[in-house]
Amino acid sequence: MIFILVFVVLTAVIGAQFGLSELAHWENPIPLFGNHLSMTSIGELQWHIFALLVMLSGAYAFKEDRHVRVDVWSARFSDRTRLIVDLLGDLFLLIPFFALLAWYSWAFMLMAYEFGEQSNAGGLVDRYLVKTVLPLGSVLMLGAGVGRVLRNLGVLLSHPSGKTTTGGSPQ
Amino acid sequence: VEIDVASTFPKDMMFLGDGLKQFAKSVEEISDGDIKIKIHGAGDLVPALEVLNAVSSGAVSGGYDWVGYWGGSIPVANLVGALPFGPSPEVLAEWIWEGGGMQIIQKAYDKRNVKFLPCVVVPAEPAGWFNKEIKTVEDLQGLKMRIGGLAGRVLTKVGVSPQMIPGGEVFVSLERGRIDAAEFSLPAVDETIQLNKAAKNYYFPGWHQPSSINSITFNMKVWNDLNDLQKHQITTACRSSFLWTLTNGVPQQLEALKRMEEGGTSILRLPDEVLDALRKATAEVIAEERQKDPLFDEAYASLSTYIEGADRWKSLQSTK
Amino acid sequence: MTYFLPSLMLLALVAGIFTGYPVAFLLAGLSVLFMLLGDIALPSFALITSRIFGAVLENWILAAIPLFIFMGIMLDKSKVANKLLTELEALFGGKPGGMGLAVVIIGIVMAASTGIIGASVVLMGTLALPMMLKQGYDKTVAIGTVLGSGTLGILIPPSIMLVVFGDVMQIPIGDLFAGALIPGLMLGGFYALYIMYVAITNPKKVPAGPKPSAGSRGKLLLRLCMNLVIPGVLISSVLVSIVVGVATPTEGAAIGAFGAMALAFFSRELSWKVLVASLKETCLTTGMILVLAIGATAFSLIFKRIGGQSMIEDAAGMLGHSPYMVILAIMLLMFVLGFFLEWIEISFLVLPLFAPIVAGLDFGDAFANQNEVMIWFALLVAINLQTSFLTPPFGYALFYLKGIAIPGITTIDIYRGVAPIVLLQLLGVVLVALFPAIALWLPGKF
Ligand code: NA
Ligand code: NA
């Protein structure tokens, strides 16, 4: 996807240098592009790809536990305490937020679909497609969050003594 | 009641922000403090381009916007937002308030669950800032210009390459040659972002936007929950701010032009040949729009009748 | 008690941060919690939704971030810096302090190739630090040199931090890049002076190594130039195109990413495996930064709605009327915050609260226009935040160095080594504060 982004942006640079406007035109409209490809489409395509990249990378970074943690103090916590922190955080912070975001961004996307939102400068059509990345990303986060809650619960329940070595939050 | 209004402009923006302040002040005075309008600048609550969606869903009660922002999904919005070779502000005022314009646009807004009120009218803007002089249609070929809306599509037809540049980067892009020309706003507003330091040639007339409307919108539920008196108070305040903007827009522009001219800006007029080519391309774009959207078609026919009538009256009354 | 809720929200944030729970989700979750506590109707969440879309996803300025990250990783993979380091070392190693200077130069070169600092601190820590220690360098001096020059990347353009600043504060990124160059080089110069000072007063701490023979010297110089020229041309073309304005930051970054990939390919360091690993790393870093931006967007919207903005403005108002006092207070606050937080949290969360206040300050005739004030302020913050990488207990650079775990280096050694560098950073902030021309001269030239 980064390749595509690099490629699209480079096309924009070259196109702008040569002062191109309409790059291609065809009869039957296709999703996202409508029936033409202009420099404006290329410009808008940049942030379309970026939006998708952000939401997918966000979920990927969660899976790899790469989101910034400040472990000044928590470095001294036991594994079990850290696991409980994650469990509570996921339950009361992450899940409510992404559940609401999934719900409201779905409505947000539907509105774009219903009203045929599109570029007002002769660029891309079908804004609802790029707006779909929000509910998509939220559902991925939600799924990953619920997964971690279940895993952490499993670890906590199967090691009631407090000796936990697996699962939880790797540093 | 207190009503939150999310603006698509910075709160203190010259003229465009003042129009909203004027409206808010009138509402409060007329209703003797019963209705308060709380203004939120662009981005404070919602990003500018999401204001209408937010009002539609009820996330905010009210909005203040340049109607042309919604042209992508509400084609008829382009008619009062920025209609190339469209009506003058006075004729637009007649049509929208007395000629059924408001009702036609309201039809489109009904689907959005939004009440539409045309409360601010903006005078014609200049055609834009150009790094080089425009003498023939060929000079437009390959020109990189920041411009959007229907005018962007018109310019594409004559070979211009419209560029999307965020507001904050317009100055730098123009000054440093990333683009060759830019359309931004009224002279007094352009002056605040120093576009006169970025390019030398300031072209008239504003063929792309001879007039435009900024609207106040309310979520329909919020509007219907108001009693009749409150609705009248708001509509009256709206008429009052409309008149205020109609009568206060131009003097500031003339002062700004004078200052910029003294600073070395060349104020020029697009040659008739170029205007003719643009007029022809505009007719094509409008024909496309009329075919695409029945409401745009209806509104355009109605507005055209008004423009023709106004032209006739003007020529009858001409003393020159 | 009007500010009860916003104070409580800040308190919850601070407490939450120290639990070690990911900051992005903490911010996001607190926004929901305080919406409920602040009695804000749930449909207002639609505002958060549209802000996330409009301010983060639809934002083409931020789209430069993944491209700059990828460019930095690719240049790192092309191993140009490793080669440079060995050559410079061989060239300069013969004099006391020579090797230290070589490390500072590499630091500056790496800084100009990457927008983030992870790679350069790791490279310096794994390669330069052991070399210096082997040659008998004093631990404190060696560690300080590595940490200072390793973190310059966040300041010297291209810098992701400056891209975010440009977006948050609405200033052209080209101006920020141009403005950061001289302060960045100045700090590099300070580290060099520090080494020279030690070399004069206490040469045993920075001993000389074997001298290269006269013949090999010429060859080395040639190889060095070769290795310096190609990336040099690439980087400067990216920067110049952005500063001069022929390319938007996103476009410049794409050119850089493409060029860096070509460079890695021609250095025969680009295998399929390396490429996949680089792409993954780019995604992880992008996800980390931008999900935090999403959380911060949600948090600050609700914080403002429950009265947070006026609380901050009132607090700033109590500082009196001198604009310099306000700047000083903000700098002190950010310095203190920098002990615990990183640039990402501070730029997305703290900066937007203070930027409007600074924009409203009246400096009289000290600056030509308000844009200059903002550039100057942004660069003060930038140097301040580079320092946050270096201040214990939570400084990424320190973590990276600890993570590499070089035998014989203790945490105390690291703290001792970084102390003089932090002082030099503060000197840098003070100088730029007193002489804004250091930051403003270059942007004014374009
Ligand atoms: Na850098
Ligand atoms: Na720190």
Side-chain angles (χ1 to χ4, degrees), chain C residues 75-160:
Chain C
L75 279 174
D76 181 44
K77 298 286 187 215
S78 72
K79 298 265 164 67
V80 180
N82 302 36
K83 291 178 202 157
L84 275 178
L85 184 62
T86 21
E87 288 153 9
L88 275 173
E89 189 268 313
L91 213 57
F92 287 153
K95 294 213 175 69
M99 188 162 176
L101 290 183
V103 173
V104 173
I105 294 175
I106 291 294
I108 293 173
V109 171
M110 285 217 65
S113 74
T114 173
I116 40 171
I117 63 140
S120 48
V121 175
V122 169
L123 180 94
M124 301 289 224
T126 46
L127 235 65
L129 190 55
M131 273 160 89
M132 291 164 98
L133 294 177
K134 212 174 99 200
Q135 199 163 309
Y137 268 57
D138 176 69
K139 275 191 245 172
T140 311
V141 179
I143 291 171
T145 311
V146 161
L147 284 174
S149 39
T151 49
L152 269 182
I154 201 75
L155 185 60
I156 291 182
S159 152
I160 290 176

Side-chain angles (χ1 to χ4, degrees), chain B residues 43-46 164 176 178, chain C residues 50-51 60 175 243-245 251:
Chain B
D44 279 356
L45 286 182
V46 252
M164 309 248 308
R176 295 173 189 176
R178 165 78 176 69
Chain C
S50 68
R51 274 174 68 103
W60 10 345
D175 284 350
V243 172
V244 176
E251 292 166 352

